[in-house]
Amino acid sequence: MGKIIVAMYLTLDGVMEEPSWTAPYWDDEIAKYQLDLLFRSDALLLGRVTYEGFAAAWPAAEDEEGFADRMNQLPKYVVSTSLKRTEWNARLITDNVAQEVAKLKKTGQRLLVYGSAELIETLLKHDLIDELHLMTFPLILGEGKRLFKENADQKMFNLKEIRSTDSGVLIASYTPDK
């Protein structure tokens, strides 16, 4: 059975939107953590907004570590009800999201989710998330899209690992309490 792995940048007040605020805290430890997650994955699972942002930025990106090449090479599954077509090695999922993602898990793939708060909400509702990696940055923005909406369904998770970087970012890894 495959896995759905979520990797998310958050502020102390739960904001996940437009994470340009991560730049002052970015260091080699975060970069290696993200590189390891990406290279252990078989495909990306993305919502429309994240997909469109990534598809505009990553094809032209280059780096010495191979992160950009891996991002560009991996197959992508994009969940959207409004997109009509995709590019950038992507396949569209337009309906029956929970069923389609469950089918993908059965193929044995490790699917990595970035951004995509609405997709994550759907995945949580249907108990499809196997790992949740939250990188919490030491700042409060006061406004912006939050990962978890008010009145979200209650879900319990088990802490598997926690560490802090020299720049003060907490990296916490959780698995669902099933």
Side-chain angles (χ1 to χ4, degrees):
M1 181 70 87
K3 288 188 174 189
I4 305 294
I5 301 149
V6 174
M8 184 66 61
Y9 300 139
L10 295 172
T11 62
L12 290 173
D13 56 342
V15 174
M16 48 82 63
E17 184 176 41
E18 297 293 330
S20 57
W21 38 262
T22 63
Y25 303 96
W26 194 261
D27 60 20
D28 290 342
E29 191 171 357
I30 296 169
K32 179 165 180 7
Y33 186 80
Q34 286 288 41
L35 188 71
D36 290 347
L37 276 177
L38 185 67
F39 274 84
R40 287 194 315 260
S41 301
D42 301 307
L44 299 179
L45 178 61
L46 306 169
R48 178 191 56 82
V49 174
T50 302
Y51 164 75
E52 289 178 330
F54 281 12
W58 282 107
E62 295 180 6
D63 65 273
E64 292 178 12
E65 292 78 24
F67 193 93
D69 286 342
R70 182 75 174 157
M71 285 287 285
N72 290 319
Q73 292 168 355
L74 280 177
K76 288 105 183 145
Y77 299 96
V78 180
V79 175
S80 174
T81 56
S82 60
L83 280 178
K84 300 300 179 216
R85 64 182 178 87
T86 58
E87 299 173 354
W88 193 46
N89 196 21
R91 186 186 122 210
L92 199 53
I93 299 172
T94 57
D95 57 359
N96 300 317
V97 173
Q99 290 173 309
E100 292 299 316
V101 171
K103 285 182 197 175
L104 287 171
K105 280 182 73 168
K106 287 180 182 174
T107 67
Q109 295 183 84
R110 291 176 56 92
L111 303 166
L112 181 58
V113 180
Y114 289 127
S116 310
E118 291 177 33
L119 171 59
I120 292 169
E121 184 179 341
T122 299
L123 297 173
L124 279 170
K125 183 177 183 178
H126 294 280
D127 297 319
L128 290 168
I129 293 176
D130 299 288
E131 296 177 18
L132 185 60
H133 301 277
L134 302 178
M135 288 151 273
T136 306
F137 289 73
L139 79 152
I140 295 171
L141 292 177
E143 63 182 2
K145 186 174 188 176
R146 285 170 169 66
L147 176 57
F148 304 112
K149 294 180 180 178
E150 273 192 46
N151 302 317
D153 292 344
Q154 181 176 340
K155 299 285 180 183
M156 301 290 289
F157 285 83
N158 297 307
L159 179 65
K160 293 300 178 186
E161 179 185 1
I162 191 164
R163 62 184 176 191
S164 62
T165 68
D166 289 341
S167 62
V169 175
L170 291 179
I171 301 173
S173 299
Y174 301 90
T175 56
D177 185 19
K178 293 185 180 182

